[in-house]
């Protein structure tokens, strides 16, 4: 129910309490309708405040969304909005440089920011007693930021943004396709013609004063929405918001931006070479409608019919026929325009020109066939399920409210949002198909692995880099900053904390079926969903029984997602899509997991299909051939991706060739090529058994009811299965650098570490090393990340961590760094680790760790997925519920001496593998000066000696 309250009707009592704040709207939940209850207010300075009250968990989520993204930028001044996302974490008048992350982390919270074309947001999820601190932080950077901006901070973050572009675009397979599409689709000067991250040449030509002007123009409270949700009392929130935000003056008025979507008079063919890819790509992109336009929903439906699922046109035409490893369509829409994209990644050896014609033929076929009733039913079910699952967390609900308010202009848009999808007709879909896609002009982009591969057609369009722009510009003259005045408190002092919230570890029940399945479950009624997760112990570990066929566990799990004895691959997926449910099978390092997710109302049908998937896989030859080929081609593609190369080679170094974990879960070319369909059947028959299985059930259903629905698992016949015992990993020896040459790579991937002797344990050395490592490499403001990212600007992110399960795992420090800083980055990594091991953590780092990790529990049990991870750990390791109390006791009482002793024991940097994947011509000579031996490897990890490959290391 919606109550719009006019100013004249607001009671005098309300005015007297909240003199600055007007209640604009209140939305309540009165029945079973899908709604996010909230109250919306506006402060005198124009700040919109939305409060969502939800006492189900002792959490609060704070989101500040500024209605400014890259669309407010101009020619030769791109990337400002994204740059500010970085700069706003660099301190303000009352918050020191690098303190923002530290304050939120030590509060037991999580935080980040994001920028897109249309808005920038900053958000924190924290225990509810930290609300005042979060509002103080956000207000300080909204109103008291500019005086703290320095040229030095500007330069460091400019370098960080360049590293982000290198890591996420230039050094990533297909990383530039969106940049090329944007430049080709939109007219010169259109604010969507560049990416949010901007152009590096634009960032190089501006200075800190340009950035300050951008802030003064767009970051006023009147261009922002503050959304607070969770375990809060609205009256208290209003008082805090008035206190911290009330004195910040409004910025210049902001008018809505409206631009017509682009219209192309002819097809534009563009292409580029990407040396990081194996599969060429062809992509069609058509301009469509803005977000929330009435035609957005039927276009989304069209995209799903054409390119989502095994019944889709693109899957049947390209993937099922083994012409392509991947094919899909999607339709993202932004505030000014939408883009309908169709893409295919063909297997090598075929021509993109042929694929262009086949993609056009699909549109002809769809024009003849039209839309079926099943198409509409499946689409509506999936949208309803997606929307409900998006409300599982307070952060999900707050983010939804903030987006509706900012982009749609009405926070209470959830009913409209759902209804526009549930009311779609077949006629709607055909209308938008003919209006925006069929026989319309678009951008046809080819991404090719080398100059010898032909694009779909020769390029006929050159993305303009100069000329006249007809798009609006912003007058930045006359802007000035004056520090807000009028506080009646000392803003330099961090707010006092409220009382610590009572954190309730989820109640759970346990059961064991006669066939050996260990069951754990919990009931949660926040949203009407159920998750069922069956884990079969073993996974890739079982490949140790026949290492020459490694990847068998992964291929077997993949085939479990295909046909069953009673359904084809297409049929079973279609049955699931009709009810908006999902069943997936995946083989990890030590477990195979079969997961089912469904709305409560569809649980019975979902479990029927889960029974089918588990017990009656068809293991058809044609499915096997297709999946095996995809697995092989994926392995080959990874040999061009620097990050994938680093992960594969590092594992081989860590474990040695006699250990199954030296091979990826997916196997390597030689082992996968040796797998037969009979091997898959034997693997399933030998190793899929309830005797080594565990079951977790989470959702809006009680124990008795759900156990009554589990007969299909209770009567699953058990067999004796022995999980192999793995050998110890290969000793590391002395610290050595291993170099894989990736010619002309703009970044180097670095991995440093060794395999420990610690398996997982909840309260012993493994848990304590997590505490020990937190200040070194486990937090954003850890020593490693502050050094390489924040101080040096060499990387987008650097980290270090311990990772074990049933078997001992490695300590790994890693980063992607600018190519010309590779040797220096290795030095800094080793220096930080060595200093930490020698001198240990400081008292302040100990206090930071205790505060940060000691308050984390409030965030760990909120969503069904989080509860599932928690329960699965208890089930697998036979933990008592009190293990959480034991961990908290360790956090509170462990001494700095004990932690430093652990650092000395487990950070032995004289026994590390150092792996560098990067351009050898740039880096090898400089790395040689560091004093370590250097061994050259190829992309598979084979040793190269005198130009010859030796596969025996």
């Amino acid at each position: 129910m919606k109550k719009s309250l006019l100013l004249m009707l607001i009671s005098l009592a309300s005015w007297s309490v909240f003199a600055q704040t007007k209640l604009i709207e209140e939305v309540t939940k009165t029945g079973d309708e899908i709604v996010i209850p909230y109250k919306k207010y506006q402060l005198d300075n124009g700040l919109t405040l939305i409060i969502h009250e939800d006492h189900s968990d002792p959490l609060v989520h704070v989101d500040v969304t500024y209605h400014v993204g890259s669309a407010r930028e101009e020619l030769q001044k791109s990337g400002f909005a994204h740059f500010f996302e970085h700069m706003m974490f660099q301190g303000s008048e009352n918050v020191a440089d690098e303190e923002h992350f530290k304050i939120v982390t030590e509060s037991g919270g999580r935080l980040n920011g994001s920028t897109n074309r249309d808005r920038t947001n900053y958000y924190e999820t924290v225990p509810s007693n930290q609300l005042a601190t979060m509002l103080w932080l956000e207000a300080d950077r909204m109103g008291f930021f500019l005086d703290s901006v320095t040229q030095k901070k500007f330069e460091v973050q400019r370098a960080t943004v360049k590293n982000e572009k290198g890591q996420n675009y230039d050094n990533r397979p297909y990383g530039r396709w969106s940049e090329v599409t944007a430049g080709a689709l939109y007219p010169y000067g259109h604010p969507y013609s560049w990416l949010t991250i901007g152009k590096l040449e634009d960032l190089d030509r501006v200075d800190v004063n340009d950035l300050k002007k951008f802030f003064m123009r767009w970051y006023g409270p009147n261009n922002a929405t503050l959304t607070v949700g969770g375990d809060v009392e609205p009256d208290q929130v209003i008082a805090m918001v008035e206190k911290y935000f009330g004195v910040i003056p409004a910025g210049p008025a902001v008018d809505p931006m409206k631009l017509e979507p682009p219209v192309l008079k002819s097809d534009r063919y563009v292409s580029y070479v990407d040396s990081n890819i194996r599969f060429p790509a062809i992509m069609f992109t058509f301009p469509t409608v803005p977000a929330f336009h009435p035609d957005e929903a039927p276009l989304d439906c069209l995209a799903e019919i054409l390119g989502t699922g095994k019944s889709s046109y693109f899957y049947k035409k390209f993937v099922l026929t083994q012409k392509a490893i991947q094919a899909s369509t999607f339709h993202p829409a932004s505030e000014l325009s939408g883009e309908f994209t169709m893409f295919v990644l063909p297997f090598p050896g075929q021509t993109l020109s042929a694929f262009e014609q086949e993609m056009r033929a699909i549109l002809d076929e769809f024009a003849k066939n039209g839309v079926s009733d099943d198409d509409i039913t499946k689409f509506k079910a999936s949208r309803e399920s997606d929307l409900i699952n998006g409300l599982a967390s307070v952060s999900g609900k707050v983010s939804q409210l903030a987006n509706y308010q900012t982009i749609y202009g009405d926070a209470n848009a959830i009913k409209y949002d759902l209804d526009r999808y549930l009311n779609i007709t077949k006629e709607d879909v055909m209308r938008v198909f003919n209006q925006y896609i069929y026989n319309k002009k678009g951008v046809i982009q080819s991404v090719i692995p080398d100059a010898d591969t032909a694009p779909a057609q020769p390029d006929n369009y050159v993305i303009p880099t100069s000329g006249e722009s007809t798009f609006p510009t912003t007058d930045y003259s006359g802007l000035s900053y004056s520090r807000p005045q009028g506080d009646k408190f000392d803003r330099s002092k961090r707010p006092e904390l409220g009382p610590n919230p009572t954190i309730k570890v989820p109640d759970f029940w346990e059961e064991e079926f006669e066939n050996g399945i260990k069951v754990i479950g919990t009931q949660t009624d926040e949203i009407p969903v159920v998750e069922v997760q069956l884990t079969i112990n073993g996974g890739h570990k079982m490949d140790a029984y026949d290492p020459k066929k490694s990847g068998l566990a992964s291929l077997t799990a993949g085939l479990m997602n295909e046909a069953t004895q009673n359904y084809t691959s297409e049929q079973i997926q279609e049955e699931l899509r009709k009810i908006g449910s999902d069943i997936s099978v995946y083989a990890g390092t030590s477990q195979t997991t079969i997961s089912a997710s469904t709305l409560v109302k569809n649980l019975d049908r979902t479990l029927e299909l889960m029974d089918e998937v588990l017990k009656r896989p068809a293991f058809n030859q044609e499915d096997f051939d297709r999946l095996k080929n995809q697995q092989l081609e994926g392995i080959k593609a990874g040999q061009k991706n620097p990050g994938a190369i680093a992960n594969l080679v590092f594992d081989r170094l860590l474990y040695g060739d006699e250990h199954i974990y030296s091979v990826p879960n997916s196997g390597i070319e030689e082992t996968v090529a040796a797998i037969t369909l009979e091997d898959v059947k034997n693997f399933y028959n030998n190793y899929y058994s309830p005797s080594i299985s565990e079951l977790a059930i989470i959702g809006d259903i009680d124990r008795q009811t759900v156990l009554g629905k589990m007969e299909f698992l209770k009567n699953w016949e058990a067999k004796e299965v022995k999980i192999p015992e793995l050998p110890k990993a290969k000793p590391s020896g002395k610290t050595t650098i291993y170099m894989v040459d990736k010619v002309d790579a703009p970044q180097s991937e670095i991995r440093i570490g060794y395999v420990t002797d610690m398996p997982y344990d909840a309260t012993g050395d493994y848990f304590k090393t997590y505490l020990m490592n937190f200040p070194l490499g486990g937090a954003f403001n850890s020593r490693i990340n502050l050094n390489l990212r924040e101080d040096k600007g060499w990387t987008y992110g650097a980290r270090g961590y311990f990772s074990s399960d049933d078997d001992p795992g490695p300590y790994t420090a890693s980063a992607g760094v600018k190519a010309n800083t590779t040797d220096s980055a290795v030095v800094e990594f080793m220096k930080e680790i060595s200093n930490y091991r020698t001198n240990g953590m400081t008292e302040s780092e100990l206090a930071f760790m205790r505060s940060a990790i000691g308050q984390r529990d409030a965030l760990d049990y909120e969503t069904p997925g989080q509860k599932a991870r928690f329960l699965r750990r208890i089930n697998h390791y036979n933990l008592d519920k009190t293990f959480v109390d034991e961990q908290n006791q360790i956090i509170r009482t462990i001494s700095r001496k004990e932690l430093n002793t652990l650092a000395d024991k487990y950070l032995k940097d004289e026994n590390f593998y150092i792996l560098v994947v990067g351009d050898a011509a740039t880096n090898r000579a400089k790395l040689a000066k560091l004093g370590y031996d250097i061994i050259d490897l190829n992309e598979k990890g084979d040793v190269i000696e005198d130009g010859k490959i030796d596969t025996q290391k």
Side-chain angles (χ1 to χ4, degrees), residues 306 313 361-370 430 433-434 438:
L306 289 177
Y313 286 78
I362 285 176
L363 300 182
D364 291 335
E365 185 179 354
F366 179 76
K368 294 177 182 178
N369 295 342
M430 292 308 299
F433 170 69
N434 287 300
Y438 193 44

Side-chain angles (χ1 to χ4, degrees), residues 2 346 594 642 801 929:
K2 177 176 177 179
I594 304 177
Y801 54 93
K929 295 179 181 179

Side-chain angles (χ1 to χ4, degrees), residues 660-674:
I660 195 63
Y661 289 169
S662 70
V663 180
N665 293 356
S666 59
I668 57 177
E669 288 181 67
E670 296 82 357
T671 62
V672 175

Side-chain angles (χ1 to χ4, degrees), residues 94-133:
N94 300 294
V95 182
D97 186 15
E98 299 168 355
E99 281 290 299
H100 200 113
F101 269 93
K102 183 175 186 295
I103 289 171
V104 177
T105 304
E106 71 182 1
S107 300
R110 303 187 184 107
L111 74 160
N112 214 325
S114 69
T115 311
N116 64 27
R117 290 168 162 178
D118 309 309
R119 61 102 190 105
T120 304
N121 75 331
Y122 304 89
Y123 51 91
E124 301 89 9
T125 307
V126 292
S128 53
N129 65 325
Q130 302 285 346
L131 173 60
T133 300

Side-chain angles (χ1 to χ4, degrees), residues 93 142-147 215-216 479-484:
E93 179 178 318
M142 179 185 284
F144 301 83
F145 170 71
L146 283 185
D147 283 342
F215 180 87
M216 287 186 283
L479 295 173
S480 62
Y481 168 72
S482 58
R483 184 182 180 278

Side-chain angles (χ1 to χ4, degrees), residues 508-520:
F508 58 86
W509 49 265
E510 296 177 282
E511 184 90 13
E512 185 163 349
F513 297 160
E514 290 184 4
N515 58 6
I517 298 178
K518 294 167 55 182
V519 189
I520 192 168

Side-chain angles (χ1 to χ4, degrees), residues 293-360:
H293 186 284
D295 288 346
E296 181 191 12
L299 281 163
D300 288 345
C301 184
L302 173 65
E304 186 164 304
I305 295 169
L306 289 177
T308 299
K310 294 176 181 177
S311 67
S312 70
Y313 286 78
F314 272 64
Y315 183 88
K316 288 181 175 180
K317 183 74 170 179
F318 299 120
V319 180
L320 192 61
T321 58
Q322 300 190 54
K323 292 182 177 180
I325 193 168
Q326 192 176 352
S328 186
T329 61
F330 47 90
H331 178 239
S334 302
E335 190 173 15
L336 303 179
S337 179
E339 297 162 14
F340 192 100
T341 297
M342 313 183 304
F343 84 98
V344 181
L345 301 183
F347 286 123
Q350 304 169 90
T351 66
L352 292 183
S353 59
F355 275 86
E356 178 191 352
Q357 297 310 312
E358 291 193 72
M359 293 166 78
R360 294 187 184 278

